[in-house]
Amino acid sequence: MRAHARQTSPGPEPFPSPGSVISTVASDSDLRYLHFDRGTANRSSRRELHAFLATLLGGMMLGISIAFTTEAVIQRRAEQAQATARRDLADDECGARPSGGLGVGIGLIGMCQRYVVYGRNIWVYKPWAPSQTPTNPLPVVVVLHGSDTDAPSIAKASGFAEVADEAQFLVVFPEMLKPSGPDWSYGWPGEIAFFEALVSMLGFEYNIETKQVFICGHSSGGSMSLFIQNHLPKTFLAAASVEAGVDNASKWDEHSPDSPVLLVWNHNDPVLEAYGGEMLYNRTVRRLLRVHTRDLHASLPVPTPTLRESMLPPSKDILYADLLRWDSPSPVLSVVSWATRQPSHAWPSPQAIPGSFDAARVIWQFFGSAAVATSLLPASDSQQGEQN
């Protein structure tokens, strides 16, 4: 009877190979291999069964291990691919990394997002930090590009994204009304409205510190930053101009309250020289010091600064770099007065000019000191400034 049963019973089907077992639950076809007649099984069959069970369990464990390993590998590769994509996208218009990009991206160190306000592109770089929470508002630095260039170019040249990652603030790079145009639109009411709308948009999209919004720029963007801060003193706490002087002085608001200003001036800049050189420098400093209009003659010298200190020692590329500061009359005016050995209109940075200071870091340090100084003002003085 037992022999007959052995002859008529079908042969076992091939069992799945160890590497193919992914599930931790055996299927119905697998379970039948676990049934046997205990009363008729001999020692040999039991040893075979034990070996079989060991193989089965080993295969299952190996399959589980492979499954988890495969999932981990897939997850790791997906994260690596995502990180690579993010790095590539961070090589974008916000200048987070030194290459071209797509305009909208998520970087490993921050996020760059493009917005459109009044038909004009605006790129916003938001830094990322593990401790960052929605309840911590961020200061804002608006950076304006110069003539015949664009926002991505100044983002890359200035390196402000790197400084923003370290100091935790938003960096904003808006375009001119005419992209890569010759100049910003001085005196046009729509230009003032654009900057007001820009800050309003930032307040809607991000948690910003509205009392710490700053503006700066290079070349014609520097002149425009001074102009905008003069017309919107309640919006922008301080301004900085890099390789640019006061432009369109006739359109300035002479009743605007005093505000902190930083001027970065290369005395061997061919563009500045073409627009008046030292005469323009004197006129700009006197204007920013709020010296009376009738004294704004180009031949008049610059008032003696309260402070003068060296920033850099002379080098093969730098003749000198001094920090000048006027504490009175208000506002506090600081000037980085420097000169390169070779003519240059570039944004000052060690990458552009070996041995140079980093203008973005100098500007942020100035803005930080302006914010601290404002916070230390008596309440009456602060309220009076807001009323003006």
Side-chain angles (χ1 to χ4, degrees), residues 295-375:
D295 293 331
L296 288 176
H297 191 275
S299 62
L300 295 177
V302 170
T304 302
T306 307
L307 171 72
R308 177 189 291 268
E309 60 182 15
S310 176
M311 293 178 59
L312 294 173
S315 65
K316 66 183 185 67
D317 296 293
I318 308 296
L319 285 171
Y320 62 88
D322 296 332
L323 175 63
L324 314 180
R325 193 179 74 205
W326 287 262
D327 293 332
S328 179
S330 62
V332 175
L333 170 65
S334 294
V335 175
V336 177
S337 176
W338 73 304
T340 53
R341 293 190 182 275
Q342 299 297 324
S344 174
H345 187 61
W347 176 280
S349 72
Q351 293 74 29
I353 304 172
S356 170
F357 56 91
D358 188 331
R361 297 181 187 279
V362 172
I363 290 171
W364 174 247
Q365 184 178 13
F366 174 79
F367 286 162
S369 64
V372 171
T374 302
S375 66

Side-chain angles (χ1 to χ4, degrees), residues 102-114:
L102 302 178
V104 180
I106 301 175
L108 294 177
I109 52 177
M111 173 181 289
C112 181
Q113 180 67 52
R114 182 176 66 89

Side-chain angles (χ1 to χ4, degrees), residues 15-222:
F15 193 76
S17 62
S20 66
V21 181
I22 302 299
S23 174
T24 58
V25 179
S27 65
D28 292 339
S29 62
D30 298 331
L31 289 175
R32 62 191 176 89
Y33 291 98
L34 304 180
H35 296 289
F36 64 98
D37 187 348
R38 292 175 182 253
T40 60
N42 54 30
R43 293 181 180 178
S44 176
S45 62
R46 287 180 180 177
R47 286 195 297 269
E48 293 176 356
L49 177 61
H50 292 163
F52 171 77
L53 289 175
T55 302
L56 173 62
L57 293 176
M60 293 177 65
M61 295 302 297
L62 179 60
I64 294 171
S65 176
I66 292 175
F68 280 110
T69 302
T70 302
E71 182 179 1
V73 170
I74 292 174
Q75 178 68 19
R76 184 165 62 252
R77 288 180 178 176
E79 291 175 353
Q80 291 173 347
Q82 188 178 31
T84 300
R86 286 177 173 179
R87 283 194 297 270
D88 291 341
L89 289 171
D91 290 349
D92 52 21
E93 280 81 348
C94 289
R97 297 180 189 275
S99 66
L102 302 178
V104 180
I106 301 175
L108 294 177
I109 52 177
M111 173 181 289
C112 181
Q113 180 67 52
R114 182 176 66 89
Y115 297 90
V116 176
V117 176
Y118 288 173
R120 294 158 69 169
N121 289 325
I122 299 170
W123 284 271
V124 179
Y125 183 78
K126 179 183 179 182
W128 177 88
S131 60
Q132 191 177 95
T133 64
T135 59
N136 295 331
L138 294 175
V140 177
V141 175
V142 179
V143 186
L144 307 184
H145 65 84
S147 304
D148 304 318
T149 183
D150 53 24
S153 296
I154 190 60
K156 180 179 178 180
S158 67
F160 253 112
E162 181 179 352
V163 182
D165 281 316
E166 298 173 4
Q168 294 295 291
F169 59 89
L170 287 181
V171 196
V172 185
F173 305 99
E175 280 187 336
M176 288 181 178
L177 179 62
K178 179 181 179 181
S180 301
D183 213 342
W184 295 81
S185 303
Y186 294 94
W188 177 52
E191 194 76 303
I192 304 297
F194 166 75
F195 282 95
E196 291 176 320
L198 182 155
V199 176
S200 296
M201 181 275 293
L202 293 174
F204 180 81
E205 295 288 338
Y206 301 92
N207 183 17
I208 66 172
E209 178 54 74
T210 56
K211 294 184 178 180
Q212 293 187 32
V213 181
F214 311 96
I215 188 168
C216 65
H218 177 244
S219 194
S220 64

